[in-house]
Amino acid sequence: MIPNKILMCKPEYFDISYAGNDFMKNNINKFNKVDALNQWLELKKIYEKLKFEVHLIEPVDGLPDMVFTANQSFPFKNTEGKNCVLLSKMKNHQRVDEVKYFEKFYKELGYIIYYTPEDIDYFESMGDCIVDYERDIIFGGYGYRTDEKIYDYLKEISGKKIVKIKLQNSMLYHLDTCFSIINRDTIVIDESAFDDDTLKLFKTLYTKIIYAEKEENEKNFVCNNHSPDGKNVIVQRGSEKFKSDAIILGLNIIETDTSEFIKSGGSVFCMKLMFY
Ligand code: ARG
């Protein structure tokens, strides 16, 4: 079941103050706060226009990455259909404290809450877990921000099929920077992030593959697009190659500007969380 609610966090305290990934490195203190806020408001409007309920979590002073709501939690339905969540353990210390605010959010919603076990060093939820809701498969990226071992635990608590994917390109540090699922047939990938076996597997599962151009992906985060309904695809403005490939497949492209957030290593997919 595809979640129908969107969770976002206003970038009130958004900042690029440390080098948490290759994109941040070159952009310390180089972003425009007003532009960032307007870009975020625009994205929120897009989801509202598509008739998704947008919920907000309060931003917290001193947590500059909280706007990337894909990373702190992994919501799922268990085998009895109950709402559950596995909370992250963030790799960069600057983000660790974000998780407790998400814990509170889920507690108020009555979710069953699971924690990343002590012996697992890090897990960044929907940055690395991409779900094919129709097939009920979780693709679990690991290597940079997520410890492979979390997937045994996630399998145990969720009862779901998990396909583990070792990421190969350190610049593309989360699975959502190099892979996205648009619908049952269609995915977007940046080939530089995967080994041959993974690429073969993608080809056996999906009949339509959009190959993101390496430069366009690094500049515009096209793999970090988001399709909340399998038809509309929200993506960074100016991604010409991606746009023409997607239009040929009959998809509706919604362009928006997330450039201030790309400087921090995230775009549309990371700026929201889908939950139940
Ligand atoms: N600055 C954030 C970090 O490095 C960006 C996170 C983007 N999120 C994502 N799912 N790729 O953690």
Side-chain angles (χ1 to χ4, degrees):
M1 185 184 145
I2 302 180
N4 59 353
K5 293 178 186 148
I6 301 279
L7 182 65
M8 295 181 73
C9 178
K10 196 171 171 189
E12 207 156 308
Y13 305 105
F14 173 62
D15 203 352
I16 308 176
S17 50
Y18 67 100
N21 60 51
D22 283 347
F23 301 89
M24 294 171 89
K25 241 194 284 185
N26 307 320
N27 288 304
I28 306 276
N29 296 326
K30 278 194 218 150
F31 77 101
N32 183 303
K33 227 184 148 53
V34 177
D35 290 350
L37 179 61
N38 287 332
Q39 291 175 2
W40 181 85
L41 286 169
E42 193 53 43
L43 181 62
K44 180 169 170 279
K45 245 192 250 158
I46 291 172
Y47 283 113
E48 286 164 349
K49 267 203 205 133
L50 291 172
K51 303 270 179 281
F52 284 88
E53 247 179 56
V54 179
H55 295 244
L56 299 177
I57 185 162
E58 273 296 299
V60 178
D61 194 359
L63 296 177
D65 290 300
M66 204 164 158
V67 64
F68 299 112
T69 53
N71 304 153
Q72 304 85 349
S73 66
F74 181 75
F76 61 93
K77 295 252 182 210
N78 68 9
T79 48
E80 292 158 32
K82 293 217 170 87
N83 289 338
C84 301
V85 64
L86 174 58
L87 294 171
S88 298
K89 201 191 262 185
M90 308 303 291
K91 182 163 184 193
N92 291 334
H93 73 86
Q94 292 88 347
R95 298 201 64 183
V96 169
D97 284 347
E98 294 173 25
V99 180
K100 61 177 182 250
Y101 298 97
F102 285 77
E103 178 180 3
K104 185 166 170 276
F105 170 80
Y106 286 107
K107 272 195 177 146
E108 281 163 12
L109 292 178
Y111 271 59
I112 301 172
I113 301 188
Y114 295 95
Y115 301 87
T116 298
E118 292 239 320
D119 64 326
I120 291 170
D121 295 332
Y122 33 86
F123 167 57
E124 296 200 356
S125 290
M126 303 211 69
D128 274 318
C129 290
I130 308 290
V131 185
D132 182 329
Y133 292 101
E134 289 187 55
R135 290 189 173 81
D136 215 14
I137 301 177
I138 299 169
F139 290 91
Y142 67 92
Y144 302 112
R145 295 287 190 93
T146 290
D147 183 335
E148 179 184 6
K149 285 191 296 223
I150 191 68
Y151 295 118
D152 295 331
Y153 183 61
L154 182 56
K155 187 167 184 229
E156 183 189 316
I157 59 177
S158 68
K160 299 203 187 294
K161 180 168 183 329
I162 301 184
V163 175
K164 290 195 279 180
I165 295 177
K166 186 171 189 330
L167 298 175
Q168 311 282 330
N169 176 348
S170 63
M171 190 166 194
L172 305 174
Y173 60 97
H174 272 151
L175 184 57
D176 74 2
T177 64
C178 45
F179 174 69
S180 66
I181 299 174
I182 293 185
N183 56 40
R184 213 197 143 74
D185 308 314
T186 319
I187 57 170
V188 186
I189 60 170
D190 179 329
E191 284 181 289
S192 70
F194 306 105
D195 64 19
D196 289 344
D197 287 345
T198 306
L199 292 171
K200 253 187 229 148
L201 176 73
F202 289 154
K203 283 185 197 150
T204 60
L205 288 173
Y206 298 95
T207 51
K208 298 173 187 166
I209 301 183
I210 298 179
Y211 292 94
E213 220 172 53
K214 196 171 172 289
E215 299 77 63
E216 193 168 82
N217 192 37
E218 282 169 14
K219 180 165 172 265
N220 282 351
F221 269 58
V222 291
C223 290
N224 206 253
N225 74 76
H226 181 223
S227 178
D229 55 10
K231 289 186 287 288
N232 292 293
V233 181
I234 313 167
V235 71
Q236 170 60 35
R237 172 166 305 149
S239 308
E240 300 309 326
K241 148 101 173 46
F242 174 76
K243 214 168 63 176
S244 64
D245 288 351
I247 288 170
I248 290 169
L249 297 179
L251 298 164
N252 182 47
I253 296 295
I254 303 175
E255 293 186 85
T256 195
D257 191 4
T258 60
S259 54
E260 295 310 299
F261 300 97
I262 288 177
K263 292 176 184 170
S264 182
S267 180
V268 180
F269 194 91
C270 333
M271 293 169 69
K272 62 87 198 83
L273 177 83
M274 290 188 95
F275 71 104
Y276 298 98

